[in-house]
Amino acid sequence: MDYKQAAEKLSQLLSNKRFRHSLGVSQTAADLAARFGEDIDKAKLAGLLHDCARSIPSNNLLQTAAAFGIVVNDVEYRQPLLLHAPLGACLAQKEYGVTDPHILKAIALHTTGGRNLSNLEKIIYLADFIEPSRDFPGVDKLRSLALDDLDAAMLAAYDQSLHYVIEQGVLIHPATIEGRNYLLLQRQNNSI
Ligand code: FE
Ligand code: FE
C-alpha cells in the first residue's frame, strides 16, 4: 500500500479532526526529516499512520492488545488509551502493509517516548506535539526548537508532557521518565 492508499483508508476510519491531525504530523515529520537528513518518505508514512489505532474503540484496546500479544504494564492497564501507540504499529503492519521496523517502532513509541530513540522516533514524537493544529502555550517555541536541536526539543516535550500528566492527576508511563533521564544523562556526559 502506498502513501496515497494508506491516507485514503485512514480517512475512512478516523474522525475528520484526527485525520487532519495525522496529515499535519505527516507533513511536520517530513519537514523535520528534511532538516536533519532523515528519510523523508519514512517520516511521512510514520507520521500519517502514528494514530491509526485510534480507530479501535477505547473499550476494545485491552482486548485487542491481548490478541496481538502485547505485554500490558500496570500503567497501560489503567490507562488503555496509551496502547494506541504499540497497537498502531501492529495495525500499520497488518492493515497497511508497513514492514519497515524503524517506521513501526516510531509509531509504537510516539506517545511515551523512551530511551535511546532514533532520529525518526524523535521526529514522530515531536511532530505529534507541534503539527500545525496543535495550540498550547509555548508551542511556537517548541516548533523552532525542534528545527534547531532534536534532543533539546525532546527534553522540552517530555517536560511538557509530564506537567500535563501531573495536572491531569493520572499515572506517568515509565518510558517517559526513562527517556527524559536518558537524554539528561547523555547531555551531562557530553558536556564533561
Ligand atoms: Fe497518538
Ligand atoms: Fe497523534
Side-chain angles (χ1 to χ4, degrees):
M1 192 178 284
D2 64 17
Y3 182 91
K4 216 175 145 217
Q5 291 167 319
E8 179 61 38
K9 178 172 170 136
L10 196 65
S11 72
Q12 313 284 316
L13 296 169
L14 297 185
S15 69
N16 278 343
K17 191 176 170 218
R18 194 164 300 282
F19 181 63
R20 271 202 310 277
H21 162 68
S22 301
L23 292 178
V25 173
S26 182
Q27 184 55 55
T28 303
D31 295 345
L32 289 172
R35 162 70 182 83
F36 293 102
E38 296 297 321
D39 188 311
I40 295 172
D41 289 333
K42 286 187 189 189
K44 270 183 81 169
L45 189 59
L48 177 73
L49 292 176
H50 81 287
D51 272 343
C52 69
R54 292 301 285 252
S55 63
I56 301 170
S58 37
N59 58 358
N60 273 345
L61 287 166
L62 281 171
Q63 213 183 327
T64 313
F68 276 108
I70 294 174
V71 179
V72 174
N73 72 21
D74 287 351
V75 176
E76 293 155 350
Y77 187 77
R78 297 286 192 91
Q79 291 159 198
L81 210 53
L82 289 165
L83 291 168
H84 83 275
L87 275 171
C90 297
L91 290 194
Q93 187 168 23
K94 187 167 169 253
E95 306 285 337
Y96 297 84
V98 177
T99 52
D100 186 301
H102 306 289
I103 295 178
L104 297 175
K105 195 158 171 235
I107 295 173
L109 295 178
H110 86 264
T111 305
T112 59
R115 66 178 85 205
N116 199 11
L117 299 186
S118 68
N119 275 355
L120 180 63
E121 288 155 12
K122 292 172 190 170
I123 283 169
I124 299 304
Y125 184 91
L126 289 169
D128 192 23
F129 250 85
I130 62 173
E131 59 92 4
S133 73
R134 292 290 198 199
D135 188 16
F136 56 84
V139 68
D140 282 326
K141 214 176 143 196
L142 194 55
R143 285 183 179 123
S144 47
L145 194 57
L147 284 168
D148 186 49
D149 180 339
L150 283 180
D151 285 343
M154 281 301 296
L155 274 175
Y158 280 142
D159 287 357
Q160 167 90 23
S161 168
L162 288 167
H163 277 296
Y164 177 78
V165 164
I166 290 165
E167 227 166 72
Q168 298 291 307
V170 297
L171 299 168
I172 298 173
H173 197 287
T176 306
I177 299 174
E178 286 170 8
R180 182 174 179 276
N181 283 350
Y182 182 92
L183 269 185
L184 280 175
L185 289 169
Q186 194 181 46
R187 285 165 84 81
Q188 278 168 18
N189 289 339
N190 287 342
S191 66
I192 290 171

